[in-house]
Amino acid sequence: MYNAGGFLFMDTKFSGQKFVRDSSWLRRNDDSDHIGLQVYISGRNRCENGGTDFVLDTNGVYAVNLGYEVDASCSDAEVLSIILPRDRVIADLPALGEARGLIFDGDTTSGKLLSGFFHLLRTTMPGTSASDAPVLTESLMGLLRALVTAGDPSSMEAQSGVLTALQRYIDQNLGDPGLGVERICAHFRMSRATLYRILKTQGGVRDYIQRRRLMLVFKALAAPGNIERGVFDIALEYGFVNAGHFSTRFRDHFGMSPSEAREAARSHAMHGNVLFKGGDESGLSDVEIMQRWSRELGATSRRAAPVTS
């Protein structure tokens, strides 16, 4: 194993064995969540990595994401590995952040270039001095940036797919008061650090869940079929368990109380208008939905205004 400063290079040969990195291991080592890129010279490894099943063999360059659970059974094998620190990946190669499985097919130009770099490291590392480490790191990162920019690795799609899957799971379980970091990590078999990283752009895990709950309560309050239902009865369906806490969070988020939102929706319905018309707001952000809601309320108020002479 060689430490090049910006990455580790490992040249390994071993007999068949099993690798396990389970949820308890992740909890004890939450900061050890690097990305491993591997080229197999010989052997095969059947791996489950955070719910993704794949086989590592001699036909490409593969990623093993240490931010997720790993359960793998490997034959006798000879493997070249590059271990990239998570912070370096986030800074320079965010598209690789959620990579798992095959990222470059061995028959593609990108796969051949990157695999060739692994073999070049294997021959040059033993005679390389510490002063050459920065050159090696920049060469590797430059090559990876070029290949990722070319659009070859499946990890770019995987990153978006993981976020979409997280958002879908959260929306499907908003009514569960126990929905939180532990429940989500257990379902997706990922570390807390990985979950925090993926939802960082959404304001964080707790904030995201609360915003989704509040938005769905707001939409339910505006639905004609719910006009006569109690406000907190609706809130209970979306995981709120304390009426005072719910009211405070609702006002902080929307600038009005739940009762005021209900009365506005009731007034709107009295004039034959229906807000949130069953899916036509899909794809809109919460802010865009609220802006549209406000515009439609304003239009209703103008139509309802008395005519004076």
Side-chain angles (χ1 to χ4, degrees), residues 40-152:
Y40 273 64
I41 298 172
S42 65
R44 288 166 59 87
N45 184 5
R46 295 186 177 277
C47 181
E48 181 184 6
N49 188 192
T52 299
D53 296 305
F54 52 94
V55 176
L56 298 86
D57 55 25
T58 59
N59 297 316
V61 182
Y62 298 83
V64 178
N65 196 316
L66 303 182
Y68 294 85
E69 293 181 34
V70 177
D71 190 335
S73 297
C74 190
S75 67
D76 296 355
E78 191 171 358
V79 185
L80 303 179
S81 304
I82 288 175
I83 310 299
L84 297 171
R86 176 68 64 178
D87 56 355
R88 190 67 187 260
V89 171
I90 292 173
D92 292 346
L93 298 163
L96 292 179
E98 307 309 323
R100 285 166 285 169
L102 181 68
I103 59 171
F104 293 106
D105 190 287
D107 291 330
T108 65
T109 298
S110 296
K112 292 174 182 176
L113 283 171
L114 187 53
S115 178
F117 191 82
F118 276 75
H119 286 276
L120 179 63
L121 288 173
R122 189 186 201 192
T123 59
T124 58
M125 275 294 199
T128 300
S129 66
S131 62
D132 294 322
V135 174
L136 291 172
T137 296
E138 291 309 314
S139 297
L140 171 63
M141 300 306 290
L143 176 59
L144 285 172
R145 276 193 295 268
L147 298 180
V148 168
T149 302
D152 282 356

Side-chain angles (χ1 to χ4, degrees), residues 16-33:
Q17 57 189 286
K18 187 171 179 63
F19 301 91
V20 176
R21 186 184 181 94
D22 59 17
S23 58
S24 62
W25 197 100
L26 288 177
R27 285 194 295 272
R28 295 194 306 271
N29 303 274
D30 206 36
D31 58 341
S32 300
D33 61 346

